Amino acid sequence: MAARKVVLIEGDGIGPEITKAVLRVLDAAGVEIDWTRCDAGISALDKGEEVLPAATIAAIKEHKVALKGPCTTPVGEGFSSVNVQLRKTFNLYAAVRPVRNLPGVETRYKNVDLIIIRENTEGLYSGVENEITPGVVMSMKVATEKACLRIARWAFRFATQRQRKSITVFHKANIMKLTDGLFLRVADLIHQRDYPNIDFRSAIIDAGCMRLVQDPSQFDILLLENLYGDVVSDLCAGFVGGLGVVPGANYGEEEAIFEAVHGSAPDIAGKNIANPLALLMSAVMLLNYLAENDKTSIYAQAAEKIRAAYDQTLLDGAKTRDLGGELNTEEFADAVIARL
Ligand code: ATP
């Protein structure tokens, strides 16, 4: 069988170093993927290309699947987020972020097994802003019934396929009665009409966050609009060891891009100390996606082998500094490879 072609974007900041470490682990696990390397972000600008080059878009259109390192987004000025541009270009409307306790990574929280499903295309996170007059700026929160229905259906279908028990929507529909009201109403409709067997709950986001930090184990799937999903993902990462251990996937109808929840971490870039695990876990999600639910597929087997190896690595106490260990990026990759 010919190796599957997958686009690889190293990204900015810690992107190149964690990507290198992840590729070494995949190679050592015998994963056969024909990578098409593409640029995006500051690294593309540095080469005189657009921030999201046409060649990168064309490659993702052709191969349908990408593994992506983080891309830096300038704060308060400059170009708009490459991550947002990619999600919009390919209509990657469903972001999925599993947040689970890992063996050997002690935190204040136990039995955390959350899946965050984030609507990825609308809301304030779209960054549709303008200056009405000097000193007065505005940001538009757009919600469409089409996108709300699409993510609600996706979430309930996902919950059914994965045999998850409940979906909780966090919202602020008491204040944003139209936009968050629509998101909540549509999710409730899909639940009642098509998925009555899945437990459906809702919480106003402020109170929901309070309950979440008291005991995250009382939640299963969280369904959130775009900006809430962004914020709550990082909050939940804190339950299980931080941004170094939470992977993610962005799914559309045809394309899928796998990337860690964290950003480009410029403060630690180039120091070989970043944790490559979140990107490695994202690569495992990618392999399972390529396997298309066939557990006998070589991709599913490689995914399981890598997962078992990083679990054992952590159990043995071999960790990067963000998890209280002493290993650097490369040494952590070596430790995983030694346990494959
Ligand atoms: P960006 O602008 O690209 O989002 P950022 O620094 O604002 O970058 P993150 O990259 O998400 O946001 O990182 C926040 C902090 O978390 C970083 O300063 C870094 O110390 C830490 N961090 C993020 N990812 C990792 C990682 N993989 N390993 C270790 N620490 C990380």
Side-chain angles (χ1 to χ4, degrees):
M1 194 173 72
R4 182 68 197 265
K5 289 194 166 156
V6 174
V7 172
L8 180 71
I9 299 169
E10 289 188 358
D12 306 320
I14 58 172
E17 54 206 281
I18 58 173
T19 306
K20 188 171 155 221
V22 167
L23 288 187
R24 284 211 297 121
V25 175
L26 296 186
D27 276 350
V31 171
E32 288 188 19
I33 286 181
D34 183 358
W35 299 103
T36 301
R37 286 178 180 266
C38 292
D39 294 313
I42 309 248
S43 45
L45 289 178
D46 286 347
K47 289 184 186 167
E49 299 177 79
E50 294 289 314
V51 69
L52 181 54
T56 302
I57 295 177
I60 298 173
K61 260 198 189 119
E62 186 182 347
H63 303 313
K64 311 282 184 219
V65 186
L67 180 66
K68 176 183 161 295
C71 291
T72 304
T73 307
V75 176
E77 56 179 16
F79 59 83
S80 64
S81 159
V82 174
N83 311 316
V84 173
Q85 286 187 50
L86 275 172
R87 291 167 197 166
K88 285 195 175 168
T89 304
F90 295 104
N91 231 334
L92 304 172
Y93 62 88
V96 177
R97 291 150 169 207
V99 180
R100 296 190 189 101
N101 285 118
L102 286 163
V105 181
E106 288 292 316
T107 71
R108 276 178 244 178
Y109 296 91
K110 297 210 172 7
N111 306 317
V112 179
D113 182 9
L114 293 164
I115 297 180
I116 294 161
I117 299 182
R118 163 184 177 189
E119 201 292 319
N120 233 0
T121 63
E122 296 195 328
L124 287 175
Y125 201 90
S126 294
V128 183
E129 298 186 308
N130 61 24
E131 184 179 48
I132 298 165
T133 185
V136 184
V137 288
M138 64 169 281
S139 188
M140 278 222 285
K141 175 156 172 153
V142 175
T144 64
E145 193 172 68
K146 186 176 164 201
C148 294
L149 269 170
R150 185 171 69 172
I151 192 69
R153 284 202 193 101
W154 199 96
F156 278 100
R157 196 170 54 237
F158 178 89
T160 309
Q161 283 164 356
R162 302 291 168 106
Q163 297 167 339
R164 305 292 294 210
K165 287 189 282 303
S166 86
I167 294 184
T168 305
V169 166
F170 278 6
H171 64 87
K172 195 78 187 172
N174 51 337
I175 303 297
M176 278 162 280
K177 295 178 198 291
L178 291 183
T179 48
D180 281 19
L182 179 66
F183 193 86
L184 177 61
R185 189 159 42 77
V186 162
D188 191 27
L189 173 90
I190 297 297
H191 162 243
Q192 292 198 37
R193 198 184 65 192
D194 302 332
Y195 297 91
N197 295 334
I198 293 194
D199 183 25
F200 178 68
R201 307 172 199 178
S202 63
I204 294 178
I205 187 159
D206 40 1
C209 283
M210 188 273 295
R211 284 175 45 213
L212 194 58
V213 297
Q214 280 183 325
D215 180 10
S217 71
Q218 61 186 305
F219 293 96
D220 186 8
I221 290 178
L222 296 175
L223 173 60
L224 305 156
E225 69 85 77
N226 206 347
L227 180 61
Y228 303 154
D230 179 56
V231 176
V232 172
S233 296
D234 277 31
L235 182 145
C236 290
F239 298 146
V240 295
L243 287 169
V245 297
V246 179
N250 302 288
Y251 298 107
E253 295 300 347
E254 301 217 356
E255 289 85 7
I257 299 183
F258 296 80
E259 62 182 338
V261 167
H262 63 72
S264 59
D267 55 329
I268 55 169
K271 296 183 178 161
N272 189 30
I273 56 171
N275 189 349
L277 188 50
L279 187 64
L280 182 61
M281 293 165 90
S282 307
V284 165
M285 289 176 80
L286 182 153
L287 292 172
N288 281 321
Y289 177 76
L290 295 182
E292 294 176 354
N293 295 325
D294 174 5
K295 290 210 164 29
T296 64
S297 133
I298 50 165
Y299 293 119
Q301 286 171 3
E304 186 46 33
K305 191 161 137 186
I306 295 168
R307 197 194 55 72
Y310 68 64
D311 274 359
Q312 191 57 51
T313 306
L314 296 171
L315 264 178
D316 293 344
K319 297 177 214 167
T320 45
R321 293 185 203 175
D322 54 310
L323 298 179
E326 286 168 0
L327 301 187
N328 65 32
T329 311
E330 285 299 320
E331 288 165 344
F332 182 77
D334 290 338
V336 176
I337 290 167
R339 290 164 179 82
L340 279 168

